[in-house]
Amino acid sequence: MPLIGYARVSTEDQTPLPQSQALKSAGCVEIHEEQASGGNRARPVLARVLERIGKGDTLVVVRIDRLARSLSHLLEVIERLEAKGAFFRSLMDPIDTSSPQGKFTLQVLGAARTKAGLASARTKGRVGGNPGLRARDPAALRKVRLARQDGYMERLNETAQDWVPHVRRLRPDMAWEDVLRIVNGPLPRERQWTQSRLLLAVNAYVRDGFLPQTVLARAGRRETDDRLPAIVAAIKGADPKITLQEICNRLEKMRERTPRGRTSWQPSSVKMLLERAERLGLLD
């Protein structure tokens, strides 16, 4: 998968050398340099690169602003790359369209552009309306369904940091009800999930490629004595710096009972479970 670098400076007295060196260190097999204003989309070097780039190639920049100064321009370039089966990566930003995380970041950016466009239209006095809906036109109805789906994904993106890391790390080794308790543990009541809502969200992310299909596999049977070590290991894995007392507080909030059936947890009990989790290979 060839990596193709693009370095841009705005004025003649600037040098693209630091960018080119960073791109070379990242493994770019060829690097194209250009001197052009960031606001100018008519860049001949970039145009030639986009024309020549092929399937499986990755266009690499040091920072997003070296490629585009506006969100709309960035997304336009990425759409052109995707149409060719190519990818985009920024070394200093969390965007790599060959990975699920990078796709997730792009979806957030796309949702932001949509929201900004709607806000701009409202300020200009334009109110949405669709005559096709009134006529029950199938194409118009399908667009509405897709728009609703996009709105749902946008809402999920706003909460993804609460549940995606846990699901990615714990499934399918842990049952959904235990995953749910770990997800809800640090969340205030108004932001907590039900199991049905969490499963809908996970299915949506699997469908769009943001989570692997394996997270939906049936959980294996776990020995009863291994359940608490697995839960404590999951809490510790999500926050390696968490203290024993904080784990106690989390378990009490989750209404987990101690190995002796008590509702109040002590750090010594948590330490014992962490040691058992380490012996079982449940801790990284």
Side-chain angles (χ1 to χ4, degrees):
M1 184 184 293
L3 303 181
I4 300 172
Y6 175 75
R8 182 188 63 80
V9 293
S10 299
T11 61
E12 292 181 355
D13 59 346
Q14 295 175 323
T15 174
L17 183 59
Q19 295 178 55
S20 296
Q21 290 174 334
L23 293 168
K24 184 178 180 180
S25 298
C28 291
V29 296
E30 57 181 90
I31 298 170
H32 301 269
E33 299 178 349
E34 184 161 41
Q35 185 266 305
S37 168
N40 181 12
R41 297 192 183 188
R43 301 184 209 155
V45 174
L46 178 59
R48 285 196 299 271
V49 171
L50 294 176
E51 187 67 29
R52 291 173 48 196
I53 203 163
K55 184 176 181 180
D57 294 346
T58 300
L59 178 64
V60 185
V61 296
V62 174
R63 295 192 312 274
I64 289 177
D65 66 356
R66 297 302 85 197
L67 178 69
R69 283 295 183 89
S70 69
L71 178 57
S72 61
H73 187 205
L74 172 65
L75 294 175
E76 284 174 14
V77 172
I78 293 174
E79 286 171 3
R80 287 187 61 182
L81 292 172
E82 288 183 339
K84 290 191 165 193
F87 306 102
F88 170 73
R89 181 187 304 171
S90 172
L91 299 181
M92 299 183 66
D93 303 288
I95 294 184
D96 180 350
T97 62
S98 64
S99 71
Q101 294 89 344
K103 290 180 180 178
F104 166 69
T105 303
L106 278 182
Q107 189 169 23
V108 173
L109 291 173
R113 182 176 71 161
T114 301
K115 185 179 291 186
L118 292 173
S120 175
R122 283 194 295 270
T123 61
K124 296 175 181 178
R126 296 198 297 269
V127 180
N130 192 331
L133 292 182
R134 293 191 292 271
R136 309 297 294 174
D137 176 64
L141 292 173
R142 180 175 179 276
K143 287 182 180 179
V144 169
R145 286 195 298 271
L146 292 175
R148 287 175 178 170
Q149 184 178 5
D150 288 344
Y152 174 63
M153 293 302 295
E154 181 179 345
R155 293 192 297 274
L156 286 185
N157 293 342
E158 293 172 355
T159 63
Q161 71 278 2
D162 294 338
W163 55 276
V164 169
H166 294 296
V167 171
R168 190 186 300 278
R169 185 165 43 85
L170 301 177
R171 288 290 304 167
D173 296 327
M174 185 174 287
W176 280 113
E177 53 265 30
D178 290 329
V179 174
L180 180 69
R181 293 158 79 87
I182 291 168
V183 168
N184 283 337
L187 299 179
R189 180 174 296 275
E190 64 272 13
R191 286 175 53 196
Q192 290 187 354
W193 294 75
T194 63
Q195 187 166 321
S196 59
R197 280 184 60 228
L198 181 60
L199 285 172
L200 283 173
V202 171
N203 273 280
Y205 263 47
V206 168
R207 181 196 65 223
D208 283 4
F210 301 131
L211 283 172
Q213 182 73 33
T214 53
V215 300
L216 296 175
R218 184 183 295 274
R221 295 181 65 85
R222 185 181 293 278
E223 296 294 331
T224 303
D225 291 344
D226 292 349
R227 179 178 172 276
L228 281 175
I231 290 175
V232 172
I235 295 172
K236 180 72 172 178
D239 182 4
K241 295 182 179 180
I242 194 171
T243 66
L244 294 176
Q245 185 58 56
E246 288 169 337
I247 295 177
C248 290
N249 298 340
R250 184 77 58 82
L251 291 167
E252 290 174 4
K253 187 176 180 181
M254 292 166 59
R255 298 184 179 179
E256 283 290 345
R257 291 185 176 271
T258 70
R260 296 186 178 183
R262 297 172 180 169
T263 58
S264 179
W265 282 82
Q266 298 298 322
S268 58
S269 298
V270 171
K271 184 179 179 182
M272 176 191 68
L273 290 173
L274 285 172
E275 291 172 350
R276 177 167 174 76
E278 188 169 9
R279 290 195 299 271
L280 292 170
L282 301 175
L283 286 173
D284 296 333

